[in-house]
Amino acid sequence: MSSLNLDDFTDLIERPDGGVRRDAEARRERQIVPPGSLGRLDELGEWLAAAQGSSPVRPVERPRVVLFAGDHGIAELGVSARPAGSASELVREVLEGGRPVAVLARRLGVPVRVVDMALDCDPDMFPEDVVRHRVRRGSGRIDIEDALTLEQAEAAFRAGVAVADEEADSGTDLVVLGDISVGGTTAAGALVAALCGTDASVVTGRGGEAIDDLAWMRKCAAVRDALRRARPVLGEQLQLLATVGGADLAAMTGFLLQCAVRKLPVVLDGVVAAACALVGQRVAFRAPDWWLAAHKSGEPGQAKALDRMALEPLLDQGVKVGEGAGALLALPLVQAAAALAAELPEKPEKSEEAEELEKPEEPEAAQASATSEAPEAPEAPEAPAVSDGQHGEKRETE
């Protein structure tokens, strides 16, 4: 039995500050560019202001990419284009700067942190700060066995919580969350199918490196078999992660929930992050208010999960590579929204005299004004006097 009480997160997580959001909306109304003319950038700026509890919104100055890494035993069935147990190669390429996320992060000046949770390799291959949270070597084959023991799932979840605390304490003001895994999208598909009550084929995609039809059918079968094992434990989210998730997915779920506790906004990458967010929503219904969907990855499981959480992706560029690359593309949009919300000037205030001149006059006041300003009628000229011939008197002409 786990000693971790996930119900605590329901009480700990608050919604972003609604009062600050209203202040941000009012400020937007006063700016020189009409509201709505900046599209979703208006909404982004207001979301960020509420998350920060600050209006005007502060610039995003210390973002961080956090990637949780792990190998999944289900990859042994040939459900991925990469060989089973090869996630360590991807991690090495990220650390050496050769993967898309590393190139983008370097260009944007964003540090990348990799957290090994269950890579199938010797831990001595990587630095201590990468491997110190590792729970086990690889995760179990979820179609026939649990991915983790309940104790390992709890350890992974707590590791994610600890990483979130480390980031919040270090001053990170926005997290770009992704994963580095082989077989991870299969586990994510099983979680989404279980939580959305749908069939395996509805949530099964072809992965970052597209698989052929035969591999896709194997993947569907793997998700279907994992789904049968997941349904009996749907009411226990930690047990669900142990049954059909994995150490990296359990850690990402803990990370997302603790970021919401610490009021640290998170940008979600692909289907794995979306599946973990969906588990997090089951734990604490207010948590998704702290998360932003970066892009459409093309994975049907991601679309299903985001729809369930009412999160609309910012971008649709068809980026399927994973590893946080698609989410990192959305970062400049968030930063642009913050800059516009904070720096656009407001309309000049009108002087009291101008306001008085623009006010329409009251009917009675206008009538009185017209009466008082009307010119006086000239007096009639005095009639000239004429002489009466008989009496010699003057009389006025009639």
Side-chain angles (χ1 to χ4, degrees):
M1 179 66 69
S2 171
S3 61
L4 185 63
N5 185 6
L6 297 186
D7 291 340
D8 291 342
F9 285 98
T10 302
D11 299 326
L12 292 171
I13 294 174
E14 303 174 355
R15 293 193 188 280
D17 196 319
V20 171
R21 180 154 197 156
R22 288 189 291 274
D23 291 344
E25 290 171 354
R27 176 183 170 83
R28 182 67 187 91
E29 293 281 345
R30 298 193 301 269
Q31 290 179 323
I32 59 171
V33 179
S37 60
L38 295 174
R40 288 196 67 189
L41 292 177
D42 282 346
E43 177 190 336
L44 266 181
E46 292 159 7
W47 170 78
L48 195 57
Q52 293 177 349
S54 172
S55 180
V57 63
R58 298 188 300 270
V60 177
E61 295 180 331
R62 300 191 66 180
R64 181 80 165 248
V65 178
V66 179
L67 306 174
F68 288 90
D71 280 296
H72 294 260
I74 198 68
E76 297 170 8
L77 297 181
V79 298
S80 173
R82 297 188 64 87
S86 62
S88 58
E89 297 173 11
L90 296 173
V91 169
R92 178 182 289 105
E93 291 173 12
V94 169
L95 295 176
E96 292 175 354
R99 297 295 297 177
V101 67
V103 174
L104 292 172
R106 189 163 57 245
R107 172 61 59 183
L108 296 172
V110 182
V112 178
R113 178 179 184 179
V114 178
V115 183
D116 170 15
M117 296 305 305
L119 290 175
D120 189 8
C121 67
D122 191 323
D124 294 338
M125 290 179 60
F126 299 111
E128 172 64 20
D129 63 335
V130 173
V131 301
R132 63 190 174 92
H133 291 294
R134 176 188 280 206
V135 169
R136 56 178 281 171
R137 181 166 178 160
S139 294
R141 228 183 86 177
I142 58 175
D143 62 327
I144 58 173
E145 63 180 344
D146 289 350
L148 311 166
T149 66
L150 189 57
E151 291 74 19
Q152 289 169 342
E154 180 176 340
F157 188 97
R158 291 186 183 277
V161 170
V163 172
D165 283 333
E166 291 166 7
E167 292 302 324
D169 292 341
S170 69
T172 298
D173 54 9
L174 184 78
V175 173
V176 175
L177 179 64
D179 71 288
I180 304 175
S181 63
V182 175
T185 60
T186 305
L191 287 173
V192 173
L195 293 171
C196 292
T198 190
D199 294 332
S201 60
V202 175
V203 300
T204 303
R206 295 181 181 265
E209 295 183 31
I211 55 178
D212 59 24
D213 291 345
L214 188 59
W216 181 81
M217 286 188 285
R218 289 195 297 267
K219 188 173 182 179
C220 280
V223 173
R224 177 201 64 204
D225 294 341
L227 185 55
R228 290 186 185 131
R229 303 184 63 257
R231 286 182 179 133
V233 295
L234 273 178
E236 297 290 336
Q237 303 310 309
L238 194 61
Q239 184 63 64
L240 179 65
L241 290 165
T243 303
V244 296
D248 48 345
L249 277 71
M252 290 174 74
T253 304
F255 179 85
L256 282 166
L257 287 168
Q258 188 64 10
C259 281
V261 171
R262 298 296 302 270
K263 302 183 178 181
L264 178 59
V266 179
V267 181
L268 305 174
D269 186 38
V271 63
V272 175
C276 296
L278 192 58
V279 179
Q281 184 198 40
R282 281 295 188 98
V283 174
F285 67 94
R286 287 185 287 264
D289 290 350
W290 296 94
W291 309 330
L292 179 70
H295 71 118
K296 294 180 181 179
S297 69
E299 283 284 319
Q302 184 210 29
K304 195 77 176 174
L306 295 181
D307 182 66
R308 181 58 62 95
M309 293 183 287
L311 296 178
E312 183 180 354
L314 283 174
L315 301 173
D316 185 3
Q317 299 297 319
V319 178
K320 298 178 174 62
V321 70
E323 305 159 18
L328 197 51
L329 288 174
L331 177 61
L333 277 181
V334 179
Q335 292 175 317
L340 289 167
E343 298 174 26
L344 273 178
E346 297 183 11
K347 301 169 189 173
E349 293 185 4
K350 296 176 182 176
S351 65
E352 291 184 6
E353 291 182 2
E355 289 180 356
E356 288 294 329
L357 288 174
E358 288 185 2
K359 285 182 181 177
E361 293 185 351
E362 296 293 333
E364 293 182 2
Q367 186 176 355
S369 174
T371 303
S372 62
E373 293 178 6
E376 294 183 2
E379 294 182 0
E382 190 175 326
V386 294
S387 174
D388 188 336
Q390 288 183 336
H391 303 286
E393 296 177 6
K394 293 182 179 178
R395 62 179 176 84
E396 292 183 354
T397 59
E398 293 181 358

